[in-house]
Amino acid sequence: MELEVAKAAIEAAVPGCRLEMVVNPSPSAQHSLLMDAEHAVAVATWLRDAEGMRFDYCSNVTGIDWPAKELTEKVKVKKLVDGPNGPEEKEVDEVRKTLVPGFLEVVYHLFSVERRDGPVVLRMRTVDREARVHLPSLTGVWRSADFQEREIFDLYGVVFDGHPDLRRLLMWDEFKDHPMRRDYVEPDDYEYEPTAHDEVLERARQHVIAAGGRTA
Amino acid sequence: MIDAAQTADQIFVLAKQWVLGYSPAALRPLLSAVLSVVPVLIAFPLLFAITTVLERKGLGRIQNRYGPNRAGPFGFFQPIADGIKSLTKEDIIPSSADHAVHLLAPVVLVVAAFLTYAVLPIGRGMVIANLNAGVLFFFAVGTLVELAVFMAGWSSHSKYSLLGAMRAVAQMISYEIPLVLASVVAIMAAGSLSPVGIVAAQAGYSGILPHWFVFTPWGFAGFILFLVAATAESNRSPFDLPEGESEIIAGYYIEYSGFKFALFFLGEYLGMFASSAMAITLFLGGWSAPLSFLTWVPSYVWFFLKLLAMIAGFIWIRGTLPRLRMDQLMGLAWKFMLPMALLNIVAAAVWKFIPSPPVRWAVCAAILIFPCVVLSRGLRRAKKLQVRSYQFAE
Amino acid sequence: MVGEGILKGLAETARNFFGSYVDGERLTTVQFPEQRLAPIEATRDFPFLVYDGEDWHAGMRCVACQICEKECPPKCIYIEKSADKKPDAMGKAQFYPAKFDIDISVCMSCQICVEVCPFEAIKMDTEFELSTDDRFGGLLLHKDKLAKSNEHYHRIHPTEAAAVDAGLAAERMAAEARTKAAAEAKAAADTKAAEAKTAAASMQASGGGTQ
Amino acid sequence: MSAASVAGEVMEELDAAVRPADDFGEQLLEVSMGPQHPSTHGVFRMNVALDGERVMKLKPVFGYLHRNHEKIAEQETYLGSMPYTDRLDYFCSITNNWAYALAVEKLAGITVPERAEYLRVITGELTRLQNHACLIGFLLQDMGASGTPLMYAFREREKILDLFEALTGARMMCNYMRFGGCRVDLPAGWLEQARGVVAGFPKFLDEFEQLLQSNEILMERTQGVGVLSKELAINAAVSGPMARASGVNYDLRKVDRYGIYDRFAFRVPLGAHGDVYDRYMIRVLEMRESVKILEQAMKEIPGGPIVDPKTKIRGFRPKPGEAYGRIEAPKGELGFYLVSDGSANPYRYRVRPPSLINLTVLEDMCLGRNVADVVIILGSVDIVLGEVDR
């Protein structure tokens, strides 16, 4: 399935939805479609049910963390500079820093069992990485997203609205952070299996002491 | 020669009388009881020890392994090692358990298991108590096992042990019925409720073949039914649901450790020996020799050989079959075993009233085989069980 | 209910029961400490450091380049470079590891250190009876314990070791040729060195292929 | 034990008709099966609510073996993750390697030489043989068969593991594939040994069939138990033998034709009922097909290099981009999703674990069944916790 064709078909079928081609420059050439959150369920349902699409097999659901990054670019700007003859316009290099806000991304890999087609890659992005991390859940469309969305919630912190049972999957319920985020800092009281290396042992010992325990 | 064989046969009886002869008359009843009971208390736990090794070695060979072969010659000291291990292990009692009942359960189990041996004739003249309702006593005391099992499961205060105990009680009570009904045929034929009497009724040989009940159609069917029910009674595979380790881990004795666990183990095997011994008494001629020219071998030797053969059969079955599910187990008891056991009684009655051997063989066999086939086919069809064939996609 | 399926199964287990007494194919158990299987050449357990000659310190091939330390997936290798230099297998003065530790409680025997080593200095051992009652110290192997002779290497991986030796010999010859050539006329030396280089490269490639 | 099971199935059906199931919500017995339950195949846990022995609710709990494999991989080089993939589904390290190598090859556009493809097929199918054999053994073990089928399976597995050791140096943690090929070539005599093992395998399967196939207890325990419908199987992305047992004709060896699978003649068995018996039988039949593939592959294997000479072991940096590569692992569709930012470490490394996703439908299959059924249904899913929890 040509993704361009699919994109046009979806846009025709789901009114108002905005899709964006995300080009994959690697030799795999698995390009993807970026969906907006409002129409995601409608797009997904249509992709699953529509004749000629029938992407009934949502193989893989995963998250990616894109933290905010600073893009630095050098631009030549004309500026008034104090010259020997008073202010004059001159071209100078300036380092311009733009802050690209971070976001969390969810990727769905769809296949069609019926037509033996795929993958069609769908993506959704949250607005930022802290508060506005809500995305619609596609578990209602594909059951296979159930555990995988829970896992993304657990490890990345994307909140899937409409998920029937959104709990942590791999970490324990009391765990606070989201370990797969790029800026995750391993807590110091990590359950270190003691090794032969002093550094780790020392850290572990500190925690035992802090917890009021004795050390040998 | 004959005398020597007889002496060998009766050596334990004679030894007991010899000891009694030297004791004061007032003490004789007590001493007689002790002298009868103590050998049984030694012999059967010893058999248990041997059986554990044989079972593990047998299962090993069935599974293409060696089995235990490190402790002592051919691994035969393995039970000693196991015994030391269980004795030295910490005895853990769950804090929420009912301590008294938790402690009593294994004791009750072993005591009940031992009590059943009181009426089992181990050899010619070798029975602790020759009750004239011995078979009844056997089944009545055997029921105590269920009490012990339930005590264990209930007092442990664990969900798994409770599930196990429930399963065990349901299963044992259900299978008690076919067990008793299957033994009725032997009682009918012998006209006696005394195990000694039943063995006596199977004495004698036609040619070289013995007059065992198992060599009649009803006897054979009864033997098979009895065996299946006894397997279920003693929680052996494929009826080991109460302790199904893959489902409810160890069932009612999950919370037991150390020596109490060993007692459960012992009690279970003693139950199996007792059931096997009863099957031998009822259908396999008790301690009598299987062929007329082998009567010179002491009777207790035959008894134990038959017992070992039965144990080997149990091991073989355990090594082969997967376990049934609870409802299937119940279905087997109520839908198949019970009707067959009742029919078997009819067959045994018919046998008594038809004098001509060929006719009674034919009639009895027809009474049993035809319903058996119909019943099992019907049950199988009702469940739509079949060996399936499969499609392939290119 | 009681049917042929169960009887078939019983026959099968009986066949296996008796078969295990007569058929070695069935009874495959190896009674370990007394019986041992023939060693398999490709077996790998934990890495060791190869040295040439008699003296492990002098003959150690490792030049403390720390590539394996960097590439090791579980990061179980710790190397400290020496301050001075000693002649290596090629006879060239090189650094050597002042400290070379492998924590075999962390090592996962993946052999990546062997693959990335450009000096054929680290190889996989087949020794597996390494149990110790010292949980930390006993499982942290220092370089004196890690150093094993080239003969040992030949004993456990004969095919591979022969290929490695051939490669090293070719390299050594090429190096000798280079030094010799340097003394000769410049133009002649250049061509000769190029030849030797290509020869060495092809030899190495074939050596690497059989690893 | 409810009265229902005492009186057998007839009563059970009556029961269900008369009383609504949620009538006795307060009386449900909550049992935590696992993580140290003997038949949860590792540290898997199910919170089960029981009415008597009937399952009213079942919630799987994961994470006891979670080690954040994906995070570790983000800190490793591309090659450095290869030995870690061995530890996902530790029964089938070679197919794990293969899936990862395939994804990286897609990401970086690497081609694999002919001989290496054959080596991959041979080792991969051997992996499938030993995985399926053991799974059947475990399943029967869960059914309470005292380990006999398991031991027979292990006896055969041992021969295959010997082959793996002779080839890769390790029995389970093979670490065999490399990007663009395989790590080592076949040692002398390996093919003959492998041919012997493969030739002997059908005999083992026959024995197994003799032991189990028509066994009434097995049929009774498995037929009609844990039924999974075709629609749900597809919707929940259930893959591998489990999906095919439900009649989903979806074998990636046929669909994606990755590697050189289009060269071999083999068939895909399909079940019609989707119960435990079908899942068991599909695996048996797949083993027979695998034997066919192996015979063909070992006959046709060509000479040549085993690794793409352009790939380098150190300093491998694929261009920015992403790729999803998947193979038909013994347990189902094993996929790797990689995002590269041009550095030596993957920016994102995701494993699509078939074991975990096949468990999505566990509750659907278990509701209303017995505890004993739960155990064998779980057994028939074929999970390895190293892969479920990653």
Side-chain angles (χ1 to χ4, degrees):
Chain A
M1 166 110 351
E2 282 295 311
L3 209 61
E4 291 287 352
V5 182
K7 179 172 179 268
I10 296 168
E11 276 169 340
V14 184
C17 84
R18 299 180 304 280
L19 295 175
E20 193 188 310
M21 276 279 283
V22 179
V23 176
N24 178 358
S26 87
S28 76
Q30 292 169 341
H31 308 300
S32 48
L33 286 174
L34 180 66
M35 302 189 288
D36 57 326
E38 299 95 88
H39 297 91
V41 177
V43 171
T45 315
W46 188 79
L47 273 176
R48 185 191 64 183
D49 296 334
E51 209 50 50
M53 291 287 167
R54 306 289 291 154
F55 286 100
D56 45 8
Y57 184 88
C58 175
S59 168
N60 180 39
V61 185
T62 185
I64 310 175
D65 180 23
W66 300 98
K69 58 182 171 191
E70 237 173 21
L71 285 183
T72 48
E73 46 182 350
K74 272 189 182 161
V75 270
K76 290 198 190 301
V77 271
K78 291 200 166 141
K79 226 176 181 182
L80 287 176
V81 194
D82 282 333
N85 315 325
E88 60 176 299
E89 206 174 31
K90 221 180 172 184
E91 216 170 59
V92 259
D93 284 349
E94 196 185 70
V95 179
R96 191 180 282 173
K97 290 184 176 171
T98 42
L99 193 73
V100 181
F103 55 87
L104 300 166
E105 190 171 38
V106 181
V107 186
Y108 292 81
H109 283 84
L110 311 182
F111 292 87
S112 171
V113 171
E114 200 176 297
R115 297 192 304 111
R116 301 203 161 189
D117 196 2
V120 163
V121 189
L122 299 180
R123 317 177 91 90
M124 280 194 284
R125 287 175 185 171
T126 61
V127 181
D128 60 18
R129 297 173 70 243
E130 286 78 37
R132 300 161 72 189
V133 288
H134 288 254
L135 284 178
S137 164
L138 299 188
T139 304
V141 186
W142 295 291
R143 261 298 290 284
S144 54
D146 187 347
F147 286 169
Q148 306 192 60
E149 285 183 346
R150 271 178 71 186
E151 186 183 325
I152 297 165
F153 166 71
D154 184 359
L155 302 181
Y156 284 95
V158 179
V159 180
F160 288 95
D161 298 323
H163 191 284
D165 182 25
L166 197 64
R167 288 177 294 134
R168 284 187 178 273
L169 184 82
L170 296 171
M171 309 302 284
W172 54 104
D173 289 341
E174 296 77 27
F175 190 78
K176 284 285 179 295
D177 209 344
H178 303 291
M180 278 301 283
R181 290 199 180 186
R182 304 290 291 190
D183 49 6
Y184 171 76
V185 184
E186 221 167 67
D188 239 9
D189 61 340
Y190 192 72
E191 291 171 57
Y192 281 114
E193 175 67 11
T195 64
H197 317 304
D198 300 343
E199 187 198 338
V200 175
L201 277 179
E202 181 53 32
R203 265 206 284 181
R205 204 172 67 84
Q206 290 303 329
H207 282 284
V208 176
I209 293 169
R214 289 177 297 125
T215 49
Chain B
M1 176 66 202
I2 304 271
D3 277 352
Q6 245 168 19
T7 321
D9 190 20
Q10 291 300 308
I11 186 146
F12 293 108
V13 180
L14 293 174
K16 181 181 157 193
Q17 275 160 4
W18 181 75
V19 172
L20 283 181
Y22 285 94
S23 62
L27 277 178
R28 261 180 212 169
L30 182 68
L31 198 61
S32 161
V34 168
L35 284 178
S36 307
V37 170
V38 168
V40 167
L41 288 186
I42 293 168
F44 282 91
L46 203 66
L47 184 65
F48 159 67
I50 295 167
T51 308
T52 52
V53 188
L54 285 182
E55 171 150 32
R56 289 167 65 178
K57 287 182 97 65
L59 275 181
R61 285 292 173 168
I62 283 176
Q63 298 169 1
N64 299 332
R65 300 181 283 116
Y66 283 104
N69 64 352
R70 294 283 155 139
F74 299 102
F76 266 98
F77 293 162
Q78 189 67 36
I80 299 173
D82 286 345
I84 293 169
K85 186 195 78 171
S86 1
L87 273 171
T88 50
K89 266 180 124 174
E90 187 190 355
D91 179 30
I92 300 165
I93 303 169
S95 54
S96 58
D98 186 331
H99 290 227
V101 183
H102 193 262
L103 177 73
L104 272 178
V107 180
V108 172
L109 181 77
V110 171
V111 167
F114 269 126
L115 275 180
T116 53
Y117 289 91
V119 293
L120 289 173
I122 292 161
R124 186 177 285 124
M126 290 164 71
V127 61
I128 297 175
N130 187 4
L131 303 182
N132 53 11
V135 178
L136 270 188
F137 175 85
F138 178 88
F139 290 123
V141 170
T143 325
L144 263 180
V145 172
E146 281 137 56
L147 177 68
V149 163
F150 195 73
M151 280 163 73
W154 182 259
S155 66
S156 299
H157 209 272
S158 154
K159 287 165 182 171
Y160 284 116
S161 62
L162 187 64
L163 277 176
M166 292 294 200
R167 279 181 174 197
V169 171
Q171 172 181 333
M172 286 174 161
I173 290 179
S174 303
Y175 274 89
E176 211 120 85
I177 294 161
L179 187 75
V180 174
L181 285 179
S183 55
V184 163
V185 286
I187 298 167
M188 278 166 67
S192 162
L193 267 171
S194 152
V196 177
I198 292 171
V199 172
Q202 298 177 69
Y205 297 86
S206 333
I208 58 164
L209 289 175
H211 288 167
W212 295 355
F213 290 153
V214 76
F215 297 124
T216 58
W218 51 267
F220 182 73
F223 179 62
I224 299 291
L225 288 171
F226 190 93
L227 266 194
V228 174
T231 317
E233 274 292 294
S234 49
N235 298 338
R236 290 281 305 182
S237 174
F239 304 106
D240 54 346
L241 298 97
E243 58 211 56
E245 81 286 338
S246 65
E247 295 156 17
I248 50 174
I249 306 172
Y252 50 86
Y253 57 77
I254 184 172
E255 300 293 351
Y256 284 89
S257 62
F259 198 63
K260 285 187 203 157
F261 177 81
L263 281 183
F264 269 106
F265 217 59
L266 171 67
E268 201 159 285
Y269 274 88
L270 287 179
M272 181 178 94
F273 299 154
S275 304
S276 309
M278 194 34 108
I280 292 167
T281 308
L282 291 175
F283 299 103
L284 296 182
W287 38 258
S288 61
L291 296 168
S292 60
F293 53 84
L294 290 173
T295 42
W296 55 272
V297 180
S299 56
Y300 47 85
V301 172
W302 283 123
F303 176 83
F304 279 103
L305 280 180
K306 286 175 192 173
L307 196 53
L308 280 174
M310 300 273 290
I311 291 165
F314 278 124
I315 295 170
W316 185 13
I317 286 171
R318 180 174 167 197
T320 309
L321 297 181
R323 169 186 316 128
L324 279 162
R325 202 172 61 207
M326 200 66 214
D327 55 317
Q328 293 157 354
L329 182 90
M330 290 298 164
L332 179 67
W334 295 101
K335 292 180 188 165
F336 184 76
M337 304 261 299
L338 185 64
M340 286 312 294
L342 289 172
L343 268 177
N344 199 28
I345 294 175
V346 175
V350 168
W351 180 275
K352 270 217 147 173
F353 287 104
I354 301 176
S356 142
V359 178
R360 64 185 187 180
W361 262 94
V363 171
C364 276
I367 289 177
L368 291 169
I369 291 171
F370 183 64
C372 174
V373 171
V374 169
L375 204 56
S376 56
R377 282 245 174 105
L379 286 175
R380 214 174 140 156
R381 198 166 305 137
K383 286 176 178 154
K384 300 194 184 73
L385 299 184
Q386 55 179 346
V387 178
R388 294 175 186 161
S389 58
Y390 285 85
Q391 284 188 325
F392 290 89
E394 281 305 319
Chain C
M1 280 296 299
V2 181
E4 44 164 357
I6 288 172
L7 296 179
K8 261 194 210 167
L10 284 171
E12 189 56 49
T13 41
R15 213 152 65 87
N16 274 288
F17 179 83
F18 294 112
S20 71
Y21 283 99
V22 290
D23 189 356
E25 275 285 288
R26 286 197 194 280
L27 194 66
T28 48
T29 313
V30 177
Q31 308 239 34
F32 168 59
E34 298 92 36
Q35 294 174 15
R36 278 162 199 259
L37 287 174
I40 295 178
E41 208 187 316
T43 309
R44 61 183 147 92
D45 280 299
F46 294 109
F48 71 97
L49 297 171
V50 189
Y51 66 86
D52 297 306
E54 293 299 311
D55 180 15
W56 67 266
H57 184 73
M60 188 167 282
R61 290 180 188 170
C62 179
V63 299
C65 68
Q66 295 180 312
I67 289 175
C68 53
E69 186 184 19
K70 208 158 60 200
E71 295 285 334
C72 174
K75 305 275 177 280
C76 70
I77 304 179
Y78 303 86
I79 303 175
E80 264 173 37
K81 217 177 221 176
S82 62
D84 55 333
K85 289 189 176 185
K86 73 166 181 67
D88 74 340
M90 297 288 134
K92 208 163 93 189
Q94 287 274 25
F95 292 109
Y96 61 92
K99 199 172 174 187
F100 196 117
D101 295 348
I102 293 180
D103 186 347
I104 58 167
S105 65
V106 174
C107 175
M108 55 185 191
S109 313
C110 66
Q111 207 178 0
I112 283 181
C113 51
V114 177
E115 282 167 63
V116 298
C117 182
F119 302 96
E120 310 283 5
I122 190 164
K123 295 291 168 199
M124 296 309 276
D125 207 347
T126 53
E127 176 67 39
F128 55 88
E129 287 167 278
L130 293 160
S131 62
T132 163
D133 50 6
D134 180 3
R135 188 175 169 195
F136 302 124
L139 294 176
L140 183 67
L141 301 187
H142 301 297
K143 66 173 177 178
D144 54 336
K145 214 166 174 193
L146 286 170
K148 287 185 181 166
S149 67
N150 197 20
E151 285 72 50
H152 173 76
Y153 182 37
H154 272 274
R155 199 165 53 246
I156 56 175
H157 303 304
T159 325
E160 189 189 302
V164 166
D165 272 6
L168 284 177
E171 215 171 292
R172 202 168 291 138
M173 261 167 62
E176 272 164 23
R178 265 201 301 277
T179 39
K180 220 159 111 190
E184 286 174 18
K186 202 171 188 278
D190 275 352
T191 46
K192 207 172 176 186
E195 269 171 29
K197 223 177 199 167
T198 46
S202 68
M203 286 292 265
Q204 179 129 38
S206 63
T210 49
Q211 244 178 55
Chain D
M1 177 86 29
S2 67
S5 45
V6 178
E9 288 170 352
V10 183
M11 277 296 285
E12 212 167 61
E13 281 161 23
L14 266 178
D15 239 335
V18 174
R19 299 186 297 196
D22 53 359
D23 224 0
F24 25 25
E26 292 157 13
Q27 298 171 23
L28 293 186
L29 176 69
E30 289 209 7
V31 178
S32 188
M33 286 179 83
Q36 38 344 37
H37 190 283
S39 62
T40 51
H41 293 228
V43 284
F44 181 58
R45 175 174 154 209
M46 295 173 279
N47 278 337
V48 190
L50 299 176
D51 164 29
E53 267 204 43
R54 200 181 319 166
V55 176
M56 308 305 280
K57 216 167 90 184
L58 185 146
K59 292 287 170 211
V61 181
F62 306 95
Y64 291 94
L65 203 60
H66 180 51
R67 53 211 185 271
N68 224 339
H69 173 70
E70 295 174 4
K71 187 89 178 173
I72 294 171
E74 284 176 12
Q75 294 153 2
E76 290 286 347
T77 59
Y78 279 88
L79 178 63
S81 292
M82 187 62 89
Y84 281 106
T85 61
D86 288 340
R87 279 120 180 119
L88 282 171
D89 170 2
Y90 38 76
F91 257 81
C92 321
S93 62
I94 284 185
T95 48
N96 297 345
N97 290 169
W98 192 353
Y100 179 51
L102 192 81
V104 173
E105 281 151 15
K106 276 195 173 175
L107 183 69
I110 304 169
T111 51
V112 182
E114 188 105 326
R115 184 174 173 82
E117 291 280 24
Y118 273 93
L119 288 179
R120 286 180 175 191
V121 168
I122 292 170
T123 49
E125 292 302 322
L126 282 173
T127 306
R128 196 182 314 278
L129 284 185
Q130 56 106 350
N131 177 73
H132 282 1
C134 290
L135 181 269
I136 292 171
F138 288 134
L139 180 61
L140 266 294
Q141 179 83 343
D142 288 347
M143 250 178 257
S146 308
T148 308
L150 182 63
M151 283 296 159
Y152 295 168
F154 267 50
R155 189 186 70 206
E156 290 311 301
R157 175 173 181 251
E158 203 64 12
K159 296 175 189 164
I160 294 174
L161 291 191
D162 282 344
L163 285 175
F164 285 168
E165 186 176 1
L167 176 59
T168 71
R171 301 171 79 77
M172 288 176 80
M173 303 297 135
C174 296
N175 184 18
Y176 181 55
M177 309 276 172
R178 288 291 175 264
F179 312 135
C182 299
R183 181 161 55 81
V184 282
D185 207 344
L186 300 178
W190 192 89
L191 263 185
E192 283 64 51
Q193 198 190 341
R195 278 194 192 109
V197 171
V198 172
F201 207 82
K203 195 175 135 240
F204 156 73
L205 286 176
D206 292 340
E207 234 183 81
F208 229 81
E209 248 167 52
Q210 186 80 6
L211 177 65
L212 296 166
Q213 199 136 304
S214 55
N215 186 315
E216 280 82 359
I217 297 180
L218 177 93
M219 285 200 277
E220 192 151 3
R221 282 299 300 276
T222 54
Q223 293 194 352
V225 171
V227 176
L228 175 67
S229 73
K230 187 177 176 180
E231 291 69 37
L232 183 59
I234 295 175
N235 195 249
V238 169
S239 52
M242 201 175 151
R244 292 192 282 280
S246 294
V248 183
N249 180 10
Y250 203 63
D251 187 326
L252 299 186
R253 292 175 293 176
K254 291 280 189 193
V255 177
D256 284 8
R257 298 178 172 274
Y258 62 91
I260 46 163
Y261 271 114
D262 46 358
R263 296 187 195 175
F264 304 114
F266 68 100
R267 303 172 302 166
V268 181
L270 295 176
H273 300 78
D275 54 11
V276 175
Y277 187 78
D278 272 1
R279 269 168 239 149
Y280 159 80
M281 279 305 297
I282 293 292
R283 290 190 169 98
V284 173
L285 295 171
E286 265 186 22
M287 281 194 269
R288 294 204 183 269
E289 297 300 319
S290 285
V291 169
K292 277 190 209 164
I293 298 176
L294 277 167
E295 280 165 354
Q296 294 169 52
M298 286 195 291
K299 200 157 65 188
E300 294 163 8
I301 181 166
I306 53 153
V307 73
D308 187 356
K310 282 186 300 225
T311 55
K312 40 186 181 172
I313 291 179
R314 282 197 293 141
F316 177 72
R317 288 163 194 270
K319 289 189 195 75
E322 58 175 50
Y324 179 68
R326 55 176 195 166
I327 67 159
E328 181 71 35
K331 298 197 162 53
E333 174 191 334
L334 176 64
F336 279 81
Y337 172 64
L338 298 165
V339 180
S340 164
D341 58 353
S343 68
N345 313 340
Y347 184 81
R348 174 77 175 104
Y349 165 105
R350 149 84 178 165
V351 188
R352 183 225 188 257
S355 299
L356 173 73
I357 293 168
N358 288 355
L359 281 176
T360 312
V361 289
L362 182 66
E363 188 178 8
D364 302 65
M365 294 191 288
C366 289
L367 286 187
R369 311 293 325 184
N370 275 351
V371 173
D373 287 339
V374 170
V375 167
I376 60 167
I377 291 170
L378 180 68
S380 72
V381 175
D382 190 6
I383 57 166
V384 160
L385 263 286
E387 188 177 71
V388 172
D389 288 345
R390 283 159 294 142

